[in-house]
Amino acid sequence: MKNRKRNITMMAVLLFVCAAVALNWSYNNRWGNPDAEMVSAEDAAMMEADEKFAGAAMSSPTGYFDEARLTRQVSRDEALQLLQSAATAETASQETIDSAMNSIAAMATCTMKESQIENLLLAKNFTDCVVYIGNDAVTVAVPAPSEGLSEEAVAQITDVICNETEYEAAQLSIIEVRS
């Protein structure tokens, strides 16, 4: 009698574990692969906005960084709105919905990594910085003295980027913002 109860209990626990594994697997495979065309368009829009402010000469470095962050956020908000519209459209196919959800998740991941990298660079005594992570590159804008960044500063930036992301030094672009 004891063995029978124990066996039934073990079978019930095993059944619940199998059900949990099956549900987890189906949930993780539900989203599919991101739509490459949508991701490319999104990255191009964000890079264009970032480059627009990278070339602009502002009166103070702080103004540049504030403006760059604002532009980055506005670009992301617009892209997020488009993705949400695509995902909630009545005529949207499951592929479109999946692609939009993947793009939103990727955007959130990039935003978190950018914020983390900016905080790490501030901790390494950079007075300010803006980081943009794209599909194939990372762009970092930092204030620089009139003679430019030292090799040590460039090495610190490169080290932080390479340690916090899967990008290599060749995929890093450093913009020196001079006052």
Side-chain angles (χ1 to χ4, degrees):
M1 184 73 155
K2 262 184 160 179
N3 285 339
R4 188 172 184 191
K5 284 183 182 181
R6 184 180 57 149
N7 289 341
I8 290 173
T9 304
M10 288 177 66
M11 291 297 277
V13 169
L14 183 61
L15 180 67
F16 286 126
V17 169
C18 289
V21 168
L23 287 173
N24 188 27
W25 178 81
S26 68
Y27 177 77
N28 286 333
N29 288 327
R30 179 174 61 176
W31 297 111
N33 294 326
D35 181 17
E37 188 174 308
M38 188 179 288
V39 170
S40 296
E42 182 182 293
D43 282 343
M46 285 193 262
M47 286 298 278
E48 180 181 319
D50 193 46
E51 289 171 2
K52 175 179 152 187
F53 287 99
M58 299 209 131
S59 59
S60 72
T62 305
Y64 168 82
F65 294 107
D66 292 339
E67 192 68 30
R69 279 189 205 93
L70 179 62
T71 301
R72 180 181 67 188
Q73 188 60 42
V74 168
S75 297
R76 287 227 169 102
D77 290 344
E78 289 173 359
L80 183 61
Q81 187 177 21
L82 287 172
L83 290 169
Q84 287 174 334
S85 296
T88 58
E90 291 180 18
T91 59
S93 68
Q94 188 61 41
E95 285 182 32
T96 302
I97 294 169
D98 292 346
S99 176
M101 295 309 244
N102 284 336
S103 295
I104 290 170
M107 192 183 308
T109 300
C110 285
T111 301
M112 288 177 12
K113 280 196 181 272
E114 288 168 352
S115 178
Q116 183 179 8
I117 291 168
E118 288 173 359
N119 288 333
L120 287 170
L121 290 174
L122 291 174
K124 294 206 179 260
N125 292 327
F126 288 95
T127 56
D128 208 348
C129 65
V130 176
V131 177
Y132 173 74
I133 298 176
N135 257 355
D136 300 326
V138 177
T139 303
V140 180
V142 293
S146 58
E147 65 274 359
L149 289 173
S150 67
E151 287 183 22
E152 180 182 334
V154 172
Q156 284 180 333
I157 295 169
T158 304
D159 184 53
V160 168
I161 299 297
C162 291
N163 286 334
E164 296 300 317
T165 67
E166 62 277 353
Y167 294 98
E168 297 174 4
Q171 296 170 302
L172 173 62
S173 174
I174 300 174
I175 300 171
E176 297 179 6
V177 180
R178 295 193 175 106
S179 51

